[in-house]
Amino acid sequence: MGILDNVERGLEKMVRGAFSTGSRSQVQPVEIASSLRRELDNKAMTLAQGRTLAPNAFTARLSDPDFALAQEWGATLAEELCDVVIKHVNSQNYTLQGPVKVSFTRDSNLKPGVFEIDSATEKQQSGARRPITPSAPARQPTRFQPILDLDGQRYSLNAGSVILGRSSEADILVDDTGVSRRHLEIQIQGGQTRAVDLRSTNGSYVNGQRVNGEAELTDGSIITMGRTRITFRLVPVQNGGRQV
């Protein structure tokens, strides 16, 4: 909730010049941001494979004066609202079939301060079906690749289970006499990563705390095994699977 609050505060501050005539009868950007999240949740659909599909293209229908204010700020406002959508998609583990797009259109039937959100699922970036000005460039949700940083060498965690230890049969070899042959298992499941101690002789530690069974890993977590320190990272990945 704190992350969303920060996004909303930043959005409100950034567009204050375009929306700050002092009238509460006008649409506030934070209200649009909240409606976008509600639209995502309301239209999300669970697929047979266990994935949850959500819409990725949004149009905010605004009254004549509110649309004029949105035009003053232009595509930048739409880009910031794209970020709101992307953060909510990532937090809820939703699946999208295409890039995120947020745009505005005029609806003369609406009163100032009243707006409507239309959403759709678009597989690819195609021509708009009606005039929508301004619009934001399409953005893809950020994907993260879990990695382990060991003595300056990075190991990508591409499997659901990775074994660390002194044995040559371990997935990641740790050359440390204080490390057991099969010392620690890294488990990745449902978007979460856990460190599971495999009854090692000297124990495993995450951020200085001994692992009793298992411990959740977050970006920057420090794993200690014997005299070896390993850093767990979540690295942003660009389209096509390349790390940023």
Side-chain angles (χ1 to χ4, degrees), residues 75-237:
T76 305
L77 173 58
E79 290 174 0
E80 291 299 316
L81 291 171
C82 277
D83 287 340
V84 170
V85 172
I86 289 170
K87 289 179 185 297
H88 193 66
V89 165
N90 288 335
S91 70
Q92 300 300 315
N93 291 322
Y94 289 152
T95 297
L96 303 182
Q97 289 195 347
V100 173
K101 295 188 292 184
V102 175
S103 54
F104 306 96
T105 189
R106 179 188 288 108
D107 188 337
S108 299
N109 294 321
L110 296 176
K111 297 179 180 180
V114 177
F115 67 95
E116 300 288 344
I117 299 292
D118 298 325
S119 64
T121 299
E122 296 184 1
K123 291 186 179 180
Q124 59 185 3
Q125 196 169 357
S126 57
R129 289 169 291 184
R130 60 181 181 274
I132 45 178
T133 305
S135 62
R139 294 189 179 185
Q140 288 284 6
T142 303
R143 302 298 180 185
F144 294 92
Q145 170 65 46
I147 67 166
L148 294 179
D149 192 332
L150 171 59
D151 293 334
Q153 185 171 358
R154 285 184 169 186
Y155 297 87
S156 293
L157 303 177
N158 298 316
S161 172
V162 176
I163 304 297
L164 288 74
R166 194 159 44 88
S167 171
S168 59
E169 298 179 357
D171 298 309
I172 298 178
L173 177 63
V174 182
D175 188 12
D176 185 333
T177 57
V179 172
S180 299
R181 294 177 60 81
R182 288 172 56 87
H183 194 108
L184 186 73
E185 179 183 12
I186 304 296
Q187 295 181 351
I188 303 174
Q189 186 176 14
Q192 293 185 324
T193 307
R194 296 181 177 86
V196 181
D197 185 77
L198 300 177
R199 298 182 179 179
S200 61
T201 301
N202 297 321
S204 305
Y205 297 81
V206 173
N207 296 329
Q209 300 295 318
R210 182 158 186 155
V211 177
N212 294 316
E214 64 180 42
E216 183 176 356
L217 297 176
T218 58
D219 185 36
S221 292
I222 303 296
I223 303 169
T224 305
M225 304 161 52
R227 297 183 301 276
T228 301
R229 286 167 54 89
I230 304 171
T231 304
F232 174 78
R233 294 289 187 192
L234 293 173
V235 179
V237 178

Side-chain angles (χ1 to χ4, degrees), residues 16-32:
R16 189 172 294 155
F19 283 78
S20 61
T21 59
S23 174
R24 285 298 302 160
S25 64
Q26 294 171 336
V27 171
Q28 303 299 309
V30 171
E31 295 173 340
I32 300 177

Side-chain angles (χ1 to χ4, degrees), residues 10-80:
L11 179 63
E12 189 173 44
K13 180 179 179 180
M14 192 195 74
V15 299
R16 189 172 294 155
F19 283 78
S20 61
T21 59
S23 174
R24 285 298 302 160
S25 64
Q26 294 171 336
V27 171
Q28 303 299 309
V30 171
E31 295 173 340
I32 300 177
S34 297
S35 292
L36 287 171
R37 291 198 296 270
R38 285 196 300 271
E39 184 72 7
L40 281 165
D41 295 336
N42 291 338
K43 297 295 180 64
M45 178 178 60
T46 301
L47 305 179
Q49 298 88 340
R51 297 182 301 144
T52 302
L53 180 66
N56 60 294
F58 303 86
T59 300
R61 290 189 281 117
L62 305 172
S63 67
D64 290 341
D66 286 324
F67 182 75
L69 288 175
Q71 281 189 308
E72 287 185 29
W73 200 257
T76 305
L77 173 58
E79 290 174 0
E80 291 299 316

